[in-house]
Amino acid sequence: MKTLTYAAAFALAFTGQAMADPAEGIWKTQVDDGAYAHVTIKTCGAAVCGTISRTFNASGEYKSPNIGKQIVRSMTPVGNGKYEGKVWRPSNNKVYIGKIDLGGDSLKLAGCIAGGLLCSKQTWTRLK
């Protein structure tokens, strides 16, 4: 019986790792208005969400009031490394239609208006 219990615990532990979303991790944003951030992306229900965990400017790391705020919101996977949801831009405090195109350690994020026809894009780099 002990062996069965250990086997079940082992299987559950590795099932959780195997089910991790490929977008999960810590990502470095592109510079926007003179600053950039590290964003921690985790699953949030059936989607992924990203929270600003660290911020940097030309002088180095600083404590932005945006630390802890969610920048990537409810991005749902739609297949082939693509996600759709919402994205918040801290510099103007607006929420846009969001799109992610994930490829290995590169994440292309778009914030769009006009039903997704006009988009501003950034490429983020995976740190961890």
Side-chain angles (χ1 to χ4, degrees), residues 49-65:
C49 298
T51 303
I52 298 171
S53 48
R54 297 174 73 186
T55 51
F56 302 84
N57 60 21
S59 301
E61 187 168 6
Y62 73 103
K63 297 295 179 193
S64 166

Side-chain angles (χ1 to χ4, degrees), residues 34-122:
Y36 69 94
H38 290 178
V39 176
T40 302
I41 295 182
K42 297 180 179 178
T43 56
C44 54
V48 295
C49 298
T51 303
I52 298 171
S53 48
R54 297 174 73 186
T55 51
F56 302 84
N57 60 21
S59 301
E61 187 168 6
Y62 73 103
K63 297 295 179 193
S64 166
N66 295 323
I67 292 175
K69 293 186 179 178
Q70 196 175 76
I71 189 168
V72 174
R73 301 177 176 186
S74 301
M75 288 282 190
T76 306
V78 294
N80 296 326
K82 297 186 185 322
Y83 297 74
E84 294 177 350
K86 302 277 183 193
V87 63
W88 171 63
R89 185 172 184 197
S91 62
N92 65 4
N93 196 30
K94 293 193 181 210
V95 177
Y96 298 94
I97 295 168
K99 299 177 183 181
I100 288 177
D101 190 357
L102 182 64
D105 290 336
S106 179
L107 182 153
K108 294 180 181 179
L109 178 74
C112 308
I113 59 171
L117 296 175
L118 301 170
C119 301
S120 178
K121 299 176 182 177
Q122 278 198 355

Side-chain angles (χ1 to χ4, degrees), residues 1-36:
M1 185 67 171
K2 250 188 210 181
T3 304
L4 182 59
T5 303
Y6 289 131
F10 182 79
L12 283 174
F14 283 101
T15 300
Q17 289 177 354
M19 305 261 310
D21 191 283
E24 283 187 290
I26 300 173
W27 297 85
K28 178 182 173 186
T29 69
Q30 274 185 233
V31 174
D32 187 14
D33 291 334
Y36 69 94

